[in-house]
Amino acid sequence: MRKALRAWCWAILAFLPLLAWSAEPTLRGTGDLGVIIERSAGRVLIVSTSSNSIISKVEGLGDLSHASVVFSRDARYAYVFGRDGGLSKVDILRGTLEKRIVQGGNSIGGAISQNGRLVAVANYEPGGLKVFTADTLEPVADIPAAYGDNKLSKVVGIADLPGDRFIYSLFDADQIWIADLRDPKAPKVEKFSNIGKAPYDGLVTPDSRHYMAGLFGEDGIALLDTWQPEQGVKRILANYGRGEEKLPVYKMPHLRGWAVAGHQVYLPAIGRHEVLVADTIHWKETARIAVRGQPVFVVARPDGRQVWVNFAFPDNGFVQVIDTLSGKIVQTLEPGKAVLHLEFTPRGETVWASARDDHKVLIYDTASFAKLAELPADSPSGIFFTSRAHRIGF
Amino acid sequence: MQHLLATHPRRRLFQLSPPATKPSREGVFFLPSIRIGLAVLALGGLGAGSLALAQEPPAPSPERSRELIRMVRQDCGSCHGLTLRGGLGSPLLPETLRDKPPDGLKHTILLGRPGTAMPPWKTFLNEAEADWIVAQLLRGFPEESK
């Protein structure tokens, strides 16, 4: 009798922690999570790349056409930059909107500093950079992109650099600026002029050494070695159009996203159905690859073996895959209508593609090109996985 | 706060010579009618709105209208913004376009503006559709229906 009672007590004791645990929310990490923009609905989807599913939705983020996202260094919070100048901080674990401010009239992107404390927004209107604290979104610095006689330029192609600096281009002023915010109250700005006509976007290489700005107004790419800024901005791939008239450009290409694979960089040609390839040592053109349409995103799988390309209207139903070893196109997919963005899972086994006009996101196996899953989404555009939290330039 | 591109020099509109095949009669006809329509709209409310509508360019089929609305919101929106308040491209709101000749706007849409990022859309739109888009932009572009 006594023995039985004792056994019961032990059993209850053993269960207690389990009971307590089940009352708490399930613990989980964020390393396999991501954010998908539903551009017309002002909403983001929080997704899991382990279960290929939507785990929550967060509403009330404003005009998200052309929205982009950076992550806090603990990969818990997503900062969403909206077209309407909105800056929203989303708690991706809780699936809640933590804070939202409208900091400008019109913006397209931003970046987070190396130390994770500052979030910078690149604004079209009023043209310039605004910097906020990452935890509370309090304003800390405002750097108008002033040029000429009292004009403000639209700011594009922002990326972070080591040392809590931000690098970006001035579309209307043909300049590249580096803003140093080590002392956020007294930012220092270094300016490079005459970098080439109408820079439309920029990227830093994975080692954060080189910044490249694509030029809309002329053939070529502006290149700055940020380790040796005194050498100034060089022009690479100049005259890639060989003086031929370019095709009308229905959508500006994007340079964000690593297009660096091994010692080669893959870049969209403006107004041409080509991907340009240059080596990252001498920055000379090594190849050009004919593709289905005008490239928008040219992104390398994390291991660099494949480069995936999507296209501008009217070829935006296609996606092509370049094998970087042979330099040939090995696959052409038709994921759906108006494919706007591609994002690889951190180790590259799958790629997610958003098909805006089919209202879905498609998940492909990058080895077999088999479609693994489809998720419903309202006019999906950008897809951002938390692995970006730990890469410079994202 | 004025958008930078909204203040582009007016002369650029006229530098663009209209293609020889396109009679400018249309523009001359629509210019006053839309102006009047807008003025009446501003004064009078909904009843007057239908008066403006009656003089607008013929609407494309309901299916094509839906396509065009989506195209303007989404594909033009990639430069002009979903809400058409501007982005890389200038704002396309009634208040920013009101004082510009509709015919010039139509030509901008069909032929683009050389030297700027505005591409020509004539491969995807015919003249009547461009007229219809201009008229919709001038009265506040419709939202996409879901």
Side-chain angles (χ1 to χ4, degrees):
Chain A
M1 197 54 197
R2 249 216 165 135
K3 249 188 194 156
L5 200 74
R6 196 179 289 165
W8 265 111
C9 286
W10 280 118
I12 287 169
L13 270 179
F15 262 111
L16 265 179
L18 260 181
L19 283 172
W21 181 74
S22 67
E24 260 175 37
T26 321
L27 294 176
R28 65 159 306 149
T30 59
D32 59 351
L33 299 185
V35 171
I36 298 177
I37 306 289
E38 291 189 309
R39 72 198 295 267
S40 317
R43 187 168 53 212
V44 295
L45 305 175
I46 314 294
V47 294
S48 158
T49 59
S50 297
S51 59
N52 288 347
S53 64
I54 296 166
I55 60 171
S56 63
K57 302 183 181 190
V58 184
E59 319 245 356
L61 280 74
D63 176 0
L64 295 183
S65 53
H66 212 297
S68 66
V69 172
V70 300
F71 291 96
S72 62
R73 59 192 277 133
D74 61 3
R76 169 154 179 193
Y77 298 99
Y79 298 93
V80 184
F81 306 97
R83 166 77 89 179
D84 54 4
L87 167 58
S88 307
K89 183 179 179 184
V90 172
D91 181 337
I92 61 178
L93 272 182
R94 287 213 173 90
T96 53
L97 178 58
E98 175 111 344
K99 184 155 186 188
R100 173 176 152 80
I101 59 169
V102 175
Q103 55 77 41
N106 200 320
S107 72
I108 55 151
I112 187 160
S113 63
Q114 188 179 36
N115 65 10
R117 293 203 195 112
L118 301 172
V119 172
V121 194
N123 282 320
Y124 275 178
E125 173 64 46
L129 192 76
K130 285 195 182 163
V131 185
F132 301 86
T133 56
D135 52 353
T136 56
L137 305 186
E138 294 309 322
V140 291
D142 183 355
I143 307 173
Y147 74 104
D149 34 278
N150 283 326
K151 284 186 282 190
L152 293 180
S153 168
K154 297 190 203 65
V155 174
V156 298
I158 184 171
D160 58 297
L161 284 180
D164 303 319
R165 291 175 302 161
F166 298 103
I167 186 163
Y168 49 95
S169 297
L170 277 57
F171 178 80
D172 309 288
D174 303 340
Q175 297 185 16
I176 292 173
W177 287 14
I178 300 179
D180 181 335
L181 281 119
R182 246 166 305 191
D183 179 2
K185 290 202 189 73
K188 287 196 275 294
V189 180
E190 196 174 353
K191 303 175 184 178
F192 303 85
S193 331
N194 297 318
I195 60 118
K197 276 212 305 283
Y200 64 87
D201 201 4
L203 68 82
V204 296
T205 48
D207 58 10
S208 79
R209 174 169 177 176
H210 293 96
Y211 177 76
M212 273 178 261
L215 301 174
F216 181 76
E218 59 188 274
D219 292 342
I221 308 272
L223 177 78
L224 178 66
D225 179 349
T226 68
W227 291 4
Q228 307 178 80
E230 65 284 356
Q231 294 187 353
V233 174
K234 290 191 198 110
R235 192 73 45 83
I236 61 166
L237 302 178
N239 214 2
Y240 63 73
R242 308 184 191 97
E244 294 162 25
E245 178 130 11
K246 68 181 178 199
L247 302 166
V249 177
Y250 295 102
K251 185 169 164 62
M252 285 287 177
H254 284 261
L255 293 180
R256 294 206 93 183
W258 286 350
V260 177
H263 292 298
Q264 311 275 357
V265 59
Y266 293 75
L267 298 162
I270 281 268
R272 305 179 68 84
H273 292 188
E274 282 174 347
V275 168
L276 307 171
V277 192
D279 75 89
T280 57
I281 295 158
H282 308 290
W283 301 100
K284 293 270 179 301
E285 179 179 321
T286 53
R288 49 177 73 196
I289 300 164
V291 288
R292 177 66 215 230
Q294 291 184 36
V296 174
F297 278 98
V298 177
V299 281
R301 197 171 69 177
D303 65 349
R305 179 64 200 268
Q306 295 175 349
V307 166
W308 288 56
V309 188
N310 74 334
F311 303 102
F313 178 88
D315 297 305
N316 54 6
F318 296 92
V319 166
Q320 288 189 309
V321 184
I322 297 166
D323 172 47
T324 55
L325 209 51
S326 65
K328 299 245 150 56
I329 288 170
V330 290
Q331 189 72 26
T332 299
L333 299 167
E334 287 184 69
K337 278 198 234 137
V339 177
L340 292 192
H341 196 213
L342 301 162
E343 176 91 337
F344 292 96
T345 42
R347 295 190 184 204
E349 75 286 0
T350 66
V351 67
W352 291 41
S354 52
R356 183 193 69 201
D357 290 357
D358 279 344
H359 302 288
K360 56 192 182 191
V361 170
L362 302 104
I363 305 170
Y364 288 93
D365 180 319
T366 60
S368 67
F369 305 113
K371 198 198 306 174
L372 303 177
E374 271 185 31
L375 302 177
D378 183 345
S379 299
S381 56
I383 305 173
F384 305 88
F385 294 150
T386 54
S387 45
R388 289 172 175 250
H390 305 119
R391 293 168 168 185
I392 210 135
F394 279 84
Chain B
M1 214 175 298
Q2 261 278 4
H3 193 279
L4 284 172
L5 279 179
T7 56
H8 46 233
R10 178 56 79 70
R11 82 194 131 74
R12 274 209 239 151
L13 281 173
F14 300 109
Q15 271 174 4
L16 246 176
S17 47
T21 49
K22 289 183 182 116
S24 57
R25 187 181 47 81
E26 277 176 33
V28 176
F29 173 73
F30 285 122
L31 175 66
S33 66
I34 287 166
R35 282 281 170 74
I36 292 164
L38 280 169
V40 178
L41 248 176
L43 285 173
L46 285 170
S50 54
L51 185 132
L53 223 153
Q55 293 178 7
E56 262 179 22
S61 72
E63 196 185 323
R64 182 64 180 154
S65 307
R66 256 197 311 280
E67 260 174 45
L68 292 177
I69 291 170
R70 182 151 183 90
M71 176 180 177
V72 172
R73 288 263 167 216
Q74 303 289 335
D75 293 307
C76 311
S78 78
C79 285
H80 292 280
L82 259 181
T83 55
L84 306 175
R85 285 201 198 107
L88 194 70
S90 38
L92 300 179
L93 301 173
E95 47 287 19
T96 51
L97 299 181
R98 190 167 294 149
D99 296 332
K100 303 183 177 174
D103 209 31
L105 296 174
K106 175 180 75 177
H107 285 136
T108 298
I109 294 172
L110 291 172
L111 307 176
R113 259 193 211 155
T116 78
M118 174 65 189
W121 292 84
K122 60 179 185 302
T123 333
F124 310 103
L125 296 171
N126 64 33
E127 234 182 293
E129 290 170 340
D131 270 327
W132 182 78
I133 289 173
V134 169
Q136 302 311 307
L137 288 172
L138 283 168
R139 67 214 293 268
F141 204 79
E143 296 290 333
E144 277 181 69
S145 51
K146 290 257 161 82

